[in-house]
Amino acid sequence: MEFAVSRDGTTLVTLHGGSDTTACDDATTELAGSFERLAADGTITDWDVSGAEVYEHPTAPFDPYTITVAFSVTVTVEAVDADEAAERGARSIDDALERADIDAISFTSPPAASAA
């Protein structure tokens, strides 16, 4: 049986920006680009970037911002039941994010499986 497995989380993006707003916009755009590439190659089936906040301001000129970006991501897996699907989906999501070099991830929800 095919299941859609979703998971919510946050990641830290470090980059240089001209202001809080610019840095948040740039971090959102950067993460969205990574998710678009994962969706294009079929690794994930759906994604959403839902917001960004400054996690750490620059401490000196030319230092980068660290931005917290919230996201959700969905994969499709084959499994016997929802519990097995949640496990497979969580591994698949972890692998996809690792391949995309998205790190400093904190998941804010357990994997949720629903029949596709």
Side-chain angles (χ1 to χ4, degrees):
M1 184 171 193
E2 192 170 81
F3 289 86
V5 180
S6 301
R7 198 142 192 214
D8 298 332
T10 61
T11 185
L12 297 178
V13 177
T14 302
L15 47 73
H16 290 79
S19 69
D20 290 5
T21 302
T22 304
C24 288
D25 290 346
D26 290 349
T28 299
T29 300
E30 183 177 307
L31 185 60
S34 294
F35 286 149
E36 286 171 359
R37 287 187 292 282
L38 289 171
D41 72 13
T43 306
I44 62 174
T45 54
D46 195 18
W47 59 272
D48 181 49
V49 176
S50 56
E53 295 179 7
V54 175
Y55 178 77
E56 187 173 278
H57 286 83
T59 56
F62 309 110
D63 280 353
Y65 282 87
T66 302
I67 308 296
T68 301
V69 186
F71 66 89
S72 64
V73 64
T74 303
V75 297
T76 303
V77 297
E78 289 285 333
V80 176
D81 59 28
D83 291 337
E84 181 184 347
E87 288 178 28
R88 285 185 181 185
R91 282 193 307 269
S92 181
I93 289 168
D94 289 345
D95 291 345
L97 297 179
E98 183 178 323
R99 280 195 308 278
D101 290 327
I102 300 171
D103 52 5
I105 298 167
S106 296
F107 288 108
T108 57
S109 71
S114 60

